[in-house]
């Protein structure tokens, strides 16, 4: 979603002397806290990074031997052995044919989006949202894993990466990635599975534009600009290293709604191929997705704008990339010159393409200002369409300590009648 209004929030951050679960606790030049929570221990991953991990997970992660040139130690895979038995909440989400498997259960899943959750500074607000999601049965939660700036804001404002004077500085402080750490920690505690992405196509929270301001070029050359791509990859690595092995991550996502307007589809295809392969090299057993809107599709096409290739994406070609685990599609008929009723055409066409590709697909964002009357039929179509394995509506709303969470006209607030329609009733259809 491209956000039209950015209101709100920055209260004093809570700074703790203890490292959050899955947070950094050691490494070269690291000067932060080193004490993990009870039941968690600080485990060596590489010379630059030690991480608080469940004490029981010790033997399942990368071996703790220092990687000297003479070492013959074989690195083990990053998967947890606790997936054996299949029903543990400590297992890493995966796919199984055209469906997803979470906590050992292969089924249809519902979720939602709260892009703003990692930008909150009050832990209790994060926990409140997570507990409401858990009670509701919403399992998949997509949040922004980026927050790029070109000038450093005040200490009360959350930011993750400063792109300035040709340099990239990642903020691992209390108003930086430690906020994302808390989201992961809370998701782990509430058995919620996160989709975390690494850059925005749009200018909200920096985006590709923040890289362009720092490295030159423009929104279409960004995909091949070597300095920008090096910084982007470095950022990806910094985020992923914090949560390797966490059962709370559903998938790593390349971007929010990547487009390359007027470009040959090979530009984004090549970028998706190389970036997803890079992510797999960092954490082989984690699912990876693109975060695109699903535009550019021949199967089931009615020839209208979203099906065309003008935004530089080819849904079917990109989905065939071996290091992409599942497809994503978004649905905003009113932004694309379509009627709401057209949504079912869009969902069915993608379902067929996903079946053809042999991969599950996630209806990752969908929204209409008509809420229930337009979106409930989309949910029914998604549920009954082979190849659509889950849906996550845009966007979840709640009442936080600072007031109501952002409302862009698509927000479905917890406890509202639209929530009953689109969450409670929807989930009762398949559980
Ligand atoms: C640690 O600090 C030293 C001295 O400032 C620097 O040379 C070195 O590159 C730093 N190492 C890392 C991993 O940042
Ligand atoms: C970006 O720059 C390239 C190379 O100069 C140019 O061909 C392209 O039209 C530009 N795109 C935009 C959106 O300005």
């Amino acid at each position: 979603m491209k956000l039209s209004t950015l209101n709100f929030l920055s209260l004093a951050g809570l700074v703790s002397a203890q490292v959050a679960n899955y947070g950094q606790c050691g490494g070269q030049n690291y000067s932060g806290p080193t004490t993990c929570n009870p039941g968690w221990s600080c485990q060596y991953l590489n010379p630059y990074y030690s991480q608080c991990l469940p004490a029981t997970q010790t033997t399942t992660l990368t071996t703790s031997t220092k990687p000297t040139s003479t070492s013959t130690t074989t690195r083990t895979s990053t998967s947890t052995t606790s997936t054996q038995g299949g029903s543990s909440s400590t297992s890493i989400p995966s796919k199984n044919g055209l469906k997803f498997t979470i906590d050992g259960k292969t089924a249809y899943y519902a979720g939602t989006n709260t892009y703003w959750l990692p930008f909150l500074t009050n832990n209790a607000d994060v926990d409140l949202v997570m507990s409401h999601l858990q009670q509701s049965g919403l399992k998949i939660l997509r949040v922004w894993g980026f927050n790029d700036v070109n000038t450093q804001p005040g200490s009360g404002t959350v930011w993750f990466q400063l792109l300035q004077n040709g340099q990239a500085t990642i903020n691992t402080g209390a108003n930086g990635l430690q906020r994302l750490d808390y989201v992961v920690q809370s998701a782990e505690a509430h058995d919620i599975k996160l989709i975390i992405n690494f850059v925005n196509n749009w200018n909200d929270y920096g985006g590709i534009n923040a890289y362009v301001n720092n490295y030159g070029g423009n929104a279409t050359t960004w995909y091949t600009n070597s300095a920008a791509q090096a910084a982007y990859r470095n950022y990806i690595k910094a985020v992923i290293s914090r949560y390797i092995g966490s059962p709370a991550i559903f998938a790593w996502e390349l971007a929010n709604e990547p487009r390359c307007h007027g470009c040959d589809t090979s530009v984004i295809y090549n970028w998706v191929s190389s970036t997803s392969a890079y992510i797999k090299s960092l954490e082989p057993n984690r699912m990876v997705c693109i975060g695109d809107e699903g535009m550019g599709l021949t199967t089931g096409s009615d020839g209208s704008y979203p099906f065309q290739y003008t935004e530089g994406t080819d849904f079917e070609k990109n989905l065939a990339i071996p290091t992409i685990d599942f497809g994503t599609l978004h649905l905003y008929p009113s932004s694309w010159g379509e009627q709401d009723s057209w949504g079912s055409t869009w969902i069915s066409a993608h379902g067929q393409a996903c079946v053809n590709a042999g991969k599950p697909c996630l209806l990752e964002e969908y929204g209409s200002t008509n809420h229930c009357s337009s979106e409930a039929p989309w949910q029914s179509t998604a549920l009954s369409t082979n190849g659509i394995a889950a849906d996550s509506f845009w966007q979840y709303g709640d009442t936080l300590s600072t007031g109501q969470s952002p409302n862009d006209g698509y927000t479905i607030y917890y406890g509202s009648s639209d929530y009953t329609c689109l969450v409670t009733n929807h989930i009762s259809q398949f559980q």
Side-chain angles (χ1 to χ4, degrees), residues 48-49 145 148 160-163 166-172 177 198-199 211 215 222 225-242 271 275 278-279 282:
Y48 315 105
Y49 202 79
D148 297 303
F160 294 162
Q161 181 170 238
L162 173 64
L163 298 162
Q167 306 286 314
T169 307
I170 296 169
N171 180 11
T172 56
L177 288 175
F198 301 118
V199 73
Y211 286 82
Y215 299 109
W222 178 83
N225 180 306
S226 56
Q229 291 303 311
Y232 169 64
R233 284 195 181 193
N234 193 48
Y235 182 75
I236 288 174
K237 186 176 189 178
V239 173
I240 290 180
S241 338
R242 297 173 89 82
W271 170 76
T275 307
Y278 175 69
I279 292 172
L282 299 173

Side-chain angles (χ1 to χ4, degrees), residues 174-238:
N175 65 344
L177 288 175
Q178 289 176 30
R179 297 312 311 153
L180 188 59
D181 292 346
Y182 194 78
V183 170
V184 175
Q185 179 184 334
S186 186
E188 206 275 337
H190 293 92
D191 201 18
I192 299 296
K193 309 301 177 182
L194 300 168
I195 295 178
I196 294 181
N197 52 21
F198 301 118
V199 73
N200 202 354
N201 176 64
W202 312 107
N203 295 352
D204 315 309
Y205 300 96
I208 287 174
N209 185 54
Y211 286 82
V212 168
N213 290 340
N214 198 39
Y215 299 109
N218 61 36
T220 60
T221 59
W222 178 83
Y223 293 95
T224 50
N225 180 306
S226 56
Q229 291 303 311
Y232 169 64
R233 284 195 181 193
N234 193 48
Y235 182 75
I236 288 174
K237 186 176 189 178

Side-chain angles (χ1 to χ4, degrees), residues 68 75 99 136 172 176 229 278 293 374 391 402:
T68 61
R75 286 172 180 247
K99 292 250 186 283
S136 305
T172 56
Q229 291 303 311
Y278 175 69
E293 298 151 286
S374 287
D391 69 83
T402 46

Side-chain angles (χ1 to χ4, degrees), residues 319-336:
L319 187 55
I321 294 170
T323 41
I324 291 299
D325 290 286
F326 61 90
T328 55
L329 61 145
H330 297 183
L331 175 54
Y332 295 103
S334 63
S335 303
W336 298 344

